Amino acid sequence: MTNNLRFKTSRFIDETYRISFKFNNKTYFGFKGDTLASALLANGIHLVGRSFKYHRPRGIMTSGSEEPNAIIQLNDNSSRTEPNVRATEVEIYEGLVASSQNCWPSVNFDVGGINNLLSPILPAGFYYKTFMWPASFWEKYEYFIRKSAGLGKSPKVADPDIYEHHYMHCDVLVIGGGISGIMAAKMAAKNGFKTLLVEEKSYLGGSSIYDNSEFSKINNQITSSWLEKEINEISKLENLEIKTRTSVAAYHGYNFLLARENLTDHLPISQRENKVRQRLLKIRAKKVITATGSIERPLIFDNNDRPGIMLSSAIKKYIDLYGVACGENNILFTNNDTAYETAMSLIQRGIKINAIIDNREQIDSKISYEVEKNNIKIYKGYSVVDTYGYRRINKISIMKLSKDGQTVIGDKTKLNCDCLGLSGGWTPAVHLFTQSGGKLKFREEDQVFIPNVYPSDQISIGSCNGDFSLDEIIKNTLSSIKKFLDIDNSEYKTIETISGLNQSKRNIWLLPSDKSIGKTKSFVDYQNDATAKDIKLALREGFRSIEHVKRYTTTGMGTDQGKLGNMHALGIISETAGTKMGEHGTTTFRPPYTPLTFGTIVGRNVGEFFDIFRRTPIHDWHVANNAEFENVGQWKRAWYYPKDNENMHQAVQRESKAARDSAGILDASTLGKIDIQGTDASEFLNRVYTNAWSKLAVGKCRYGLMLNEDGMVYDDGVTTRLGENHYIMTTTTGGAANVLGKLEDYLQTEWPELDVYLSSVTDHYATISVCGPNSKKIVSKVIPDLDLSDEKFPHMSFKNAKINNIKCRVMRISFTGEHSYEINIQANFGKSVWEKCMEAGKDFNITPYGTETMHLLRAEKGFIIVGQDTDATLTPIDLQMDWIVSKKKYDFIGKRSLYRSDTIREDRKQLVGLLTENPEEVLEEGAQIVADIKKSPIEMLGHVTSSYYSPNLKKSIALGVVKGGKNMLGQKLIIPMENKNINVTVADPVFLDKEGERLNAKL
Amino acid sequence: MFLINCPFCGEREQSEFKAGGEAHIVRPKQPTELSDDEWAEYLFMRKNIKGVQFERWNHVHGCRKWFNMVRDTSNDQIKAVYKMGEKPPVE
């Protein structure tokens, strides 16, 4: 039977170029120009997959992106494998491999087909109703449900292809290269607008490009010939860029659109190396012309889903464009005239049409008379009530429709066929229009939603605007584009059109059956197996909102988003509920219009480019010295430096000990640095920090705590007064950008009268911190000219200095509790100064330490880390840092909030130290803290925020927040863990050297 | 994605900006003299209107300037932008 399905008529198919491909492990042949769907049909294959829920055999239904059934797994078992690809959109290439989804062991014999027999007990909401109790069993159910559900298989290895993002700007964007889009693009480009035309298919012209019928003509030429000349003309226009294989995925506000351009998917895999596969176009258009056409509606009747049942327009396209006959004994079932166009295309090639079943009693159009003349039997006023054939349709039965169309009457007639074309009229593709925020209106005459209110500078033309006849399309396109672009010259003189079609239609959303509805399977959403019965059940169970019915029945929730059936669902709801169609509105159309690959969405931002990361000027040294790195915000910070196969714990213990026993060195370049200048700089600091700044002498440093207006700790750091009106503020590494933003906010919006200027200088300086009892000796070797005596350079002060003529700032400040210096030098000298320090510290066992050791050392001293020990719910009082809150200052950010009824509560969580009963036991950060484990439910008092084993104290130490912790010193608490309870005692958070002797020791 | 007409830079993509909540809420000059309720009104209460709303925006990846915007939140139409300290345009 597969011999004469291909007809040598199409100029779109190159029969000299044969292509072999594999489908379900069998090799087939097609030609250049074929889609996978047309090539399969040419080989007599309709059955390509199984349905989602009932595992019913399903065939190719459409010829475009609206396809619900023919979704396949492409490039099986390779890194390029891709699930849920529409066979109707895949252009075949040599070596293509594809297979059916959702079936086992094969598409011809699928074990899951049992679900079809079980369907009476699998109604809408089955899973919700059946598996909701007992709730604890869900985990068990879920495993089996998930195993039996699901469409394709996702790839298991990295995608080898390259993707990219590309910005485009234009005066006019035309979406859709059908007849109206081509006319619009020509008018725009010729009138001086920079125009971009995008078309999802590989060719321009839409359905008119293969309209060779005598019944629709333009200026007395066959439509396709006329259009071909137009395409030739526009392809030469300089002002016009044309992108085919480009599908608009999203239409956002302010005419911002996303489109996916397919560049290599049609090429054999061997030719794809080093080429960009898909490009996400980010288009900003001044004006948008939407010409997305329309999608043919199927008809809803019992068993309307068998392989061999297709849209009538698809049958026409397969024969006219691809030269492929979908069946050898066809029947068309219609409620309007467009099926007669399909009939004429088949008749012209001598392909048998057994009958046409037409809902309408009266048919009065030239084209229908012509079909009748060819001795095709037309059953007027009839409906299909059932179909037969498991893997391929072989028979239908028809009955006469009653006058009101609500029932079927008379005898059942059976007719043979191997292909049934459905034509239920057309649905304008308004998806993009509504995504942009456009409001639709319902047109009663032919039951369609069409664009009504435009939210941005845009217009819809052609059949997506509800113009279905050739005459209307051309006339309205000309007049609306002229008006929209405000141009006089339409570029077209008179256009005469002839059409043999009449626009009459008999719309019945759900066709009547001789069976009760409960016994029928009339599919509304093919992909998700939602039937008319399910929708009616949902309504009976009380669902009214279209959005609820959609979710309950899963209508329109497949990968095709119900492009075919959504209108019928609405129609059935309004008929059943007795409401008017327009009243329900539609469900929301969400981007993307057709699925996008993850590759397209992420573009080049993969692997190391997934997120940018920042390196300090000393980074290379850390790498060369075996550092492990930690991500802090976007920074890569040296975490610890393992030596001789040390693990992290061993390295950190060694580093921590060395820093206190002799000398440690830390790369602190990531700390945020903000340069503050202006005559009101001191006043500004007074307002943003909790403590007082006016009296800080030039050359001195001070630690500051910054709150939010709600009184919660926001950031901290040391700020140094460099001059009378000049400060440098340091912030936490992660908080730098936000702090600058917050300070700018207050300066610009609340205190514009202050003369203060802020500038981020984080990247301008490298910061090297040298600490420990030998730090002074080391720094004096690096900067011999600097007087490091305690008299001249005491703790919390700053000096300008020079290293080899390079200016640097040296601060004597400490985050470890040790005597320490911070050298700030312009970034490009950072590494050499670091190396100098290492050289100078050689005799003192100078030990580079990373963030982990830094955290340990500061925890020994009870210094907080904002963001680790705090979480935006702690005030300075909660942190037992009352000393830093000025009582004298009239105001600062957050001051008023410190005595709100909530912030003065005694039982707030407060920061405390925690010591474990067993000094070797190290707590887990984040562990819960409780007092009484017998009470149920156990009251959670707080949690552990920082925890380490201190090599200097030779015991485990931790910080935590505990309700009312301030008054619990010495009290015993419990940390309940999975397999044990750990006893702890509340302690002072300062574990080491509370008196600060180490800091001020005479060295 | 909006096209925002920064009063200092001109039209730029929304991705360059950061929204900063309701506009024209002045920080009290003497917070210490406010009752808890009055302070809470300033600190927490925001209108979140469906319709025309006055908002603060920051050209954070541009000139870093804060400015005000009048936006209809029901359809995202930006009615006006104006500098900090300027009077809002009257409808």
Side-chain angles (χ1 to χ4, degrees):
Chain A
M1 102 177 210
T2 58
N3 301 329
N4 57 348
L5 294 171
R6 183 77 78 165
F7 288 77
K8 281 191 187 226
T9 48
S10 172
R11 63 188 176 83
F12 291 91
I13 294 292
D14 180 359
E15 289 182 46
T16 62
Y17 195 134
R18 213 164 85 125
I19 291 172
S20 73
F21 65 96
K22 265 191 179 168
F23 181 68
N24 287 337
N25 294 321
K26 223 179 131 185
T27 302
Y28 298 94
F29 295 96
F31 297 116
K32 191 171 169 59
D34 264 326
T35 62
L36 180 57
S38 68
L40 288 170
L41 290 167
N43 283 285
I45 296 169
H46 276 259
L47 171 59
V48 289
R50 291 278 177 156
S51 72
F52 185 61
K53 185 172 166 189
Y54 301 129
H55 290 253
R56 286 168 68 101
R58 288 285 166 77
I60 296 157
M61 181 86 195
T62 73
S63 56
S65 59
E66 67 274 27
E67 176 63 36
N69 285 345
I71 51 175
I72 50 103
Q73 185 91 28
L74 195 60
N75 298 319
D76 222 1
N77 299 323
S78 89
S79 55
R80 288 191 166 85
T81 192
E82 193 177 342
N84 304 333
V85 179
R86 293 158 300 284
T88 50
E89 287 196 301
V90 177
E91 296 172 54
I92 60 165
Y93 49 84
E94 188 60 38
L96 179 149
V97 178
S99 58
S100 298
Q101 298 182 159
N102 204 31
C103 54
W104 183 85
S106 82
V107 72
N108 284 306
F109 177 75
D110 174 19
V111 166
I114 188 89
N115 280 10
N116 190 34
L117 303 175
L118 297 176
S119 63
I121 60 162
L122 288 170
F126 170 74
Y127 293 109
Y128 300 131
K129 290 168 187 161
T130 313
F131 298 109
M132 62 181 290
W133 43 261
S136 60
F137 270 42
W138 171 248
E139 281 175 31
K140 292 181 181 66
Y141 294 137
E142 191 185 10
Y143 174 78
F144 290 101
I145 293 171
R146 295 223 182 275
K147 210 170 145 69
S148 67
L151 293 167
K153 289 174 293 206
S154 49
K156 296 216 162 46
V157 290
D159 187 338
D161 281 315
I162 306 166
Y163 303 82
E164 65 186 19
H165 289 180
H166 181 61
Y167 283 92
M168 298 192 80
H169 299 266
C170 58
D171 294 326
V172 176
L173 169 69
V174 182
I175 311 168
I179 190 164
S180 51
I182 284 165
M183 290 173 70
K186 175 172 153 185
M187 288 163 77
K190 282 203 146 188
N191 278 283
F193 293 92
K194 188 182 166 204
T195 307
L196 173 64
L197 172 65
V198 298
E199 162 58 46
E200 70 175 351
K201 302 209 162 59
S202 58
Y203 56 89
L204 291 177
S207 61
S208 306
I209 200 64
Y210 52 87
D211 186 355
N212 310 318
S213 150
E214 290 290 330
F215 290 91
S216 63
K217 284 188 166 183
I218 301 173
N219 287 346
N220 218 19
Q221 300 168 53
I222 302 283
T223 304
S224 60
S225 320
W226 183 85
L227 191 56
E228 211 170 317
K229 283 178 210 138
E230 290 290 307
I231 294 169
N232 265 331
E233 191 187 341
I234 65 163
S235 60
K236 293 180 194 118
L237 293 178
E238 277 190 9
N239 230 3
L240 174 67
E241 185 171 358
I242 300 171
K243 282 195 177 286
T244 53
R245 298 188 175 104
T246 301
S247 163
V248 174
Y251 189 164
H252 296 294
Y254 292 76
N255 283 350
F256 179 71
L257 299 97
L258 298 175
R260 181 214 44 221
E261 185 182 15
N262 240 326
L263 297 160
T264 62
D265 278 358
H266 59 290
L267 300 175
I269 286 172
S270 59
Q271 290 175 28
R272 297 185 191 178
E273 283 311 310
N274 301 318
K275 288 180 188 158
V276 172
R277 180 191 174 198
Q278 291 172 345
R279 202 177 268 151
L280 186 72
L281 307 178
K282 301 178 172 183
I283 307 167
R284 184 74 77 165
K286 292 200 177 109
K287 289 168 171 283
V288 175
I289 297 169
T290 307
T292 44
S294 50
I295 298 170
E296 193 168 31
R297 294 177 186 169
L299 290 159
I300 311 299
F301 54 91
D302 193 15
N303 290 317
N304 60 342
D305 68 325
R306 296 187 192 284
I309 300 181
M310 308 173 70
L311 294 181
S312 145
S313 59
I315 296 175
K316 175 168 158 53
K317 183 170 170 184
Y318 284 116
I319 189 66
D320 285 345
L321 189 85
Y322 302 103
V324 174
C326 294
E328 292 172 301
N329 184 17
N330 300 280
I331 294 180
L332 300 172
F333 178 27
T334 185
N335 65 9
N336 69 96
D337 266 4
T338 43
Y340 294 87
E341 289 186 309
T342 306
M344 285 312 299
S345 289
L346 295 175
I347 289 165
Q348 273 168 21
R349 288 167 188 79
I351 301 165
K352 187 183 168 191
I353 301 171
N354 194 5
I356 294 179
I357 321 297
D358 198 320
N359 280 350
R360 299 170 297 177
E361 295 279 352
Q362 301 289 328
I363 308 160
D364 179 26
S365 59
K366 274 190 205 151
I367 195 165
S368 65
Y369 295 136
E370 185 66 23
V371 170
E372 264 183 317
K373 259 192 239 164
N374 282 280
N375 293 324
I376 310 280
K377 168 83 176 152
I378 302 176
Y379 290 87
K380 296 177 186 174
Y382 273 80
S383 176
V384 177
V385 291
D386 203 353
T387 66
Y388 310 88
Y390 188 58
R391 292 187 192 103
R392 175 82 181 260
I393 188 169
N394 57 29
K395 230 187 270 83
I396 62 168
S397 57
I398 62 169
M399 287 174 84
K400 183 95 180 142
L401 277 166
S402 65
K403 275 248 157 352
D404 63 0
Q406 296 300 303
T407 52
V408 277
I409 47 179
D411 295 331
K412 220 185 257 188
T413 309
K414 287 198 177 178
L415 298 168
N416 290 327
C417 66
D418 62 357
C419 183
L420 174 67
L422 307 179
S423 179
W426 296 81
T427 299
V430 293
H431 309 69
L432 294 175
F433 166 79
T434 53
Q435 276 182 25
S436 78
K439 297 279 176 284
L440 299 166
K441 70 174 173 220
F442 189 66
R443 191 165 71 190
E444 285 290 339
E445 307 93 87
D446 56 350
Q447 306 273 299
V448 291
F449 282 103
I450 52 172
N452 188 24
V453 184
Y454 292 99
S456 60
D457 200 356
Q458 56 163 301
I459 193 169
S460 294
I461 54 167
S463 65
C464 74
N465 193 39
D467 294 341
F468 295 120
S469 76
L470 189 61
D471 185 46
E472 261 182 341
I473 289 171
I474 288 180
K475 210 173 63 201
N476 292 346
T477 295
L478 286 178
S479 63
S480 34
I481 296 298
K482 263 172 95 169
K483 205 171 140 208
F484 179 62
L485 298 178
D486 194 18
I487 51 176
D488 296 325
N489 185 0
S490 73
E491 301 302 324
Y492 292 95
K493 298 200 179 78
T494 50
I495 300 186
E496 297 285 333
T497 56
I498 306 169
S499 173
L501 272 67
N502 187 315
Q503 293 302 308
S504 87
K505 181 165 119 180
R506 186 183 190 189
N507 197 74
I508 303 172
W509 293 115
L510 171 60
L511 291 159
S513 170
D514 55 329
K515 294 184 215 157
S516 74
I517 177 103
K519 297 239 161 72
T520 63
K521 273 208 196 73
S522 311
F523 289 91
V524 175
D525 182 320
Y526 291 82
Q527 194 172 105
N528 273 350
D529 271 350
T531 63
K533 179 174 65 179
D534 293 328
I535 292 171
K536 292 201 171 218
L537 176 73
L539 290 166
R540 223 168 40 240
E541 292 186 354
F543 291 94
R544 282 294 172 271
S545 153
I546 169 69
E547 296 286 358
H548 289 155
V549 174
K550 165 182 162 174
R551 281 158 184 81
Y552 191 59
T553 61
T554 70
T555 304
M557 290 175 69
T559 61
D560 62 332
Q561 294 191 37
K563 291 188 180 76
L564 294 187
N566 273 356
M567 282 300 292
H568 305 82
L570 282 170
I572 292 166
I573 290 168
S574 69
E575 269 172 13
T576 311
T579 51
K580 274 185 152 179
M581 271 293 270
E583 285 173 17
H584 291 277
T586 61
T587 53
T588 313
F589 297 103
R590 289 192 180 83
Y593 177 66
T594 47
L596 291 177
T597 57
F598 281 111
T600 312
I601 295 167
V602 298
R604 296 267 181 172
N605 302 323
V606 290
E608 63 172 313
F609 305 112
F610 178 68
D611 194 8
I612 54 168
F613 55 85
R614 301 167 82 182
R615 301 178 183 90
T616 76
I618 309 164
H619 185 86
D620 291 347
W621 190 93
H622 305 318
V623 173
N625 285 273
N626 204 26
E628 292 290 329
F629 288 88
E630 176 182 34
N631 295 328
V632 182
Q634 285 169 326
W635 287 101
K636 292 273 172 207
R637 291 199 74 175
W639 194 10
Y640 57 97
Y641 301 79
K643 259 188 184 171
D644 313 326
N645 300 323
E646 279 177 331
N647 62 24
M648 177 165 155
H649 175 74
Q650 290 161 338
V652 169
Q653 296 290 306
R654 173 181 51 77
E655 291 170 14
S656 304
K657 198 133 177 28
R660 292 222 190 276
D661 290 350
S662 179
I665 181 167
L666 172 82
D667 179 1
S669 307
T670 62
L671 287 181
K673 303 175 212 54
I674 300 171
D675 189 88
I676 304 174
Q677 300 193 40
T679 52
D680 294 316
S682 302
E683 171 60 15
F684 180 66
L685 290 173
N686 267 335
R687 296 187 191 185
V688 299
Y689 277 129
T690 60
N691 46 349
W693 290 80
S694 310
K695 286 183 189 148
L696 183 71
V698 174
K700 296 287 179 192
C701 316
R702 184 166 286 172
Y703 173 76
L705 201 57
M706 200 181 286
L707 309 185
N708 262 330
E709 203 68 276
D710 61 7
M712 304 304 156
V713 172
Y714 180 72
D715 203 81
D716 68 346
V718 170
T719 295
T720 303
R721 191 163 195 176
L722 301 171
E724 180 60 28
N725 298 319
H726 190 185
Y727 290 84
I728 181 128
M729 171 189 279
T730 55
T731 72
T732 57
T733 296
N738 290 334
V739 169
L740 181 67
K742 180 185 160 95
L743 299 183
E744 278 286 359
D745 186 353
Y746 275 89
L747 260 186
Q748 290 179 32
T749 67
E750 299 296 348
W751 308 319
E753 71 280 5
L754 294 185
D755 174 39
V756 176
Y757 301 90
L758 307 174
S759 199
S760 167
V761 292
T762 305
D763 293 326
H764 304 45
Y765 293 95
T767 305
I768 299 160
S769 171
V770 182
C771 79
N774 286 316
S775 58
K776 193 185 221 169
K777 291 180 194 133
I778 294 165
V779 173
S780 70
K781 278 168 88 175
V782 176
I783 321 173
D785 299 340
L786 189 59
D787 185 348
L788 297 178
S789 65
D790 286 339
E791 297 70 42
K792 284 279 162 56
F793 199 178
H795 182 53
M796 294 311 265
S797 62
F798 135 84
K799 290 276 182 262
N800 280 311
K802 276 187 178 173
I803 302 173
N804 287 354
N805 257 343
I806 308 301
K807 281 192 272 184
C808 64
R809 291 171 180 161
V810 185
M811 280 84 164
R812 191 176 153 192
I813 51 179
S814 174
F815 192 42
T816 57
E818 293 298 319
H819 191 106
S820 68
Y821 300 90
E822 227 181 73
I823 303 168
N824 288 274
I825 191 153
Q826 83 184 49
N828 51 332
F829 291 103
K831 194 171 159 233
S832 69
V833 172
W834 175 278
E835 282 163 346
K836 237 180 194 351
C837 293
M838 288 302 295
E839 182 60 34
K842 235 180 190 171
D843 300 339
F844 307 102
N845 182 32
I846 189 168
T847 302
Y849 65 93
T851 49
E852 193 62 23
T853 292
M854 173 186 84
H855 287 177
L856 192 161
L857 294 173
R858 64 85 209 180
E860 289 176 339
K861 286 290 296 173
F863 294 150
I864 59 157
I865 289 186
V866 173
Q868 174 160 345
D869 300 297
T870 74
D871 59 1
T873 65
L874 297 170
T875 68
I877 319 300
D878 298 336
L879 293 171
Q880 308 217 44
M881 289 172 79
D882 312 47
W883 53 271
I884 203 172
V885 180
S886 163
K887 303 277 184 303
K888 289 189 198 130
K889 276 202 294 182
Y890 181 71
D891 190 18
F892 56 82
I893 296 172
K895 178 179 168 94
R896 175 61 187 83
S897 292
L898 293 180
Y899 54 93
R900 288 177 52 236
S901 57
D902 184 56
T903 46
I904 55 171
R905 277 190 299 114
E906 290 285 309
D907 64 342
R908 289 176 63 80
K909 281 184 185 166
Q910 289 145 355
L911 187 80
V912 294
L914 298 167
L915 290 172
T916 48
E917 200 174 68
N918 170 6
E920 299 298 315
E921 179 110 60
V922 180
L923 299 174
E924 260 183 51
E925 288 174 0
Q928 295 289 325
I929 304 171
V930 308
D932 185 356
I933 49 168
K934 295 199 182 81
K935 203 168 78 182
S936 180
I938 302 176
E939 190 194 359
M940 300 298 173
L941 296 180
H943 62 275
V944 179
T945 60
S946 297
S947 172
Y948 309 90
Y949 184 81
S950 159
N952 300 299
L953 297 160
K954 298 198 172 53
K955 65 179 179 189
S956 148
I957 57 167
L959 298 172
V961 290
V962 177
K963 277 184 193 168
K966 243 185 221 183
N967 299 320
M968 291 169 96
L969 207 64
Q971 206 165 311
K972 300 245 184 274
L973 293 173
I974 299 163
I975 315 280
M977 298 303 292
E978 208 170 2
N979 48 8
K980 61 183 166 190
N981 296 318
I982 304 170
N983 295 322
V984 295
T985 310
V986 178
D988 189 309
V990 185
F991 300 100
L992 180 99
D993 187 25
K994 191 159 185 178
E995 297 71 33
E997 281 170 10
R998 305 178 72 93
L999 205 56
N1000 300 311
K1002 292 273 173 218
L1003 299 177
Chain B
M1 187 149 36
F2 310 166
L3 259 191
I4 296 173
N5 190 14
C6 169
F8 304 93
C9 307
E11 274 194 343
R12 295 288 190 280
E13 287 248 338
Q14 186 186 350
S15 56
E16 293 185 15
F17 297 84
K18 194 176 122 183
E22 194 178 330
H24 301 298
I25 295 174
V26 182
R27 187 174 188 272
K29 285 270 173 280
Q30 300 174 318
T32 45
E33 284 166 27
L34 301 183
S35 69
D36 268 11
D37 285 351
E38 286 165 333
W39 180 245
E41 180 69 30
Y42 159 73
L43 196 55
F44 302 122
M45 296 313 192
R46 298 295 183 267
K47 290 200 193 89
N48 196 21
I49 293 162
K50 180 178 181 183
V52 175
Q53 177 166 283
F54 295 81
E55 300 173 335
R56 287 152 28 97
W57 282 76
N58 185 7
H59 195 183
V60 64
H61 299 298
C63 63
R64 267 169 50 194
K65 283 284 193 186
W66 283 89
F67 60 93
N68 290 321
M69 179 192 288
V70 187
R71 181 174 68 104
D72 188 331
T73 59
S74 67
N75 58 17
D76 284 337
Q77 293 303 312
I78 297 169
K79 309 272 185 197
V81 288
Y82 53 101
K83 293 177 183 172
M84 281 292 160
E86 288 181 356
K87 284 218 168 73
V90 205
E91 276 291 301

